[in-house]
Amino acid sequence: MEVGVRSVAVPVHDATGAVVAALTVGTHTGQVDEDALVNVILPHLRDCAATIESTVTTRSPTAVATSMLYPAVRPAGS
């Protein structure tokens, strides 16, 4: 039995198209095979990145950061 780690990652872009972050999922080779990682997990990871990108590109960085840190607080102009 193969022992190790498998992982997959996707970039997160800002409004200019620059990569500003990445999302990754890692798993033990005995738990998830390569086919499931690519065909099941990767599409979900891409969806998550797209959701983050749409939030980041439609709101100011301050508004995004503040809403993540203090959900009940809304910065002026957001």
Side-chain angles (χ1 to χ4, degrees):
M1 177 181 208
E2 177 183 345
V3 177
V5 176
R6 284 194 177 96
S7 63
V8 63
V10 296
V12 177
H13 302 90
D14 68 8
T16 69
V19 175
V20 294
L23 301 175
T24 187
V25 171
T27 184
H28 188 276
T29 55
Q31 292 179 319
V32 177
D33 64 19
E34 187 176 344
D35 183 60
L37 191 64
V38 171
N39 296 312
V40 178
I41 295 173
L42 182 58
H44 289 290
L45 201 58
R46 286 181 175 146
D47 289 344
C48 289
T51 299
I52 293 168
E53 288 174 353
S54 69
T55 301
V56 171
T57 59
T58 59
R59 296 172 62 195
S60 74
T62 301
V64 172
T66 302
S67 68
M68 292 172 73
L69 293 172
Y70 307 103
V73 176
R74 299 225 175 217
S78 66

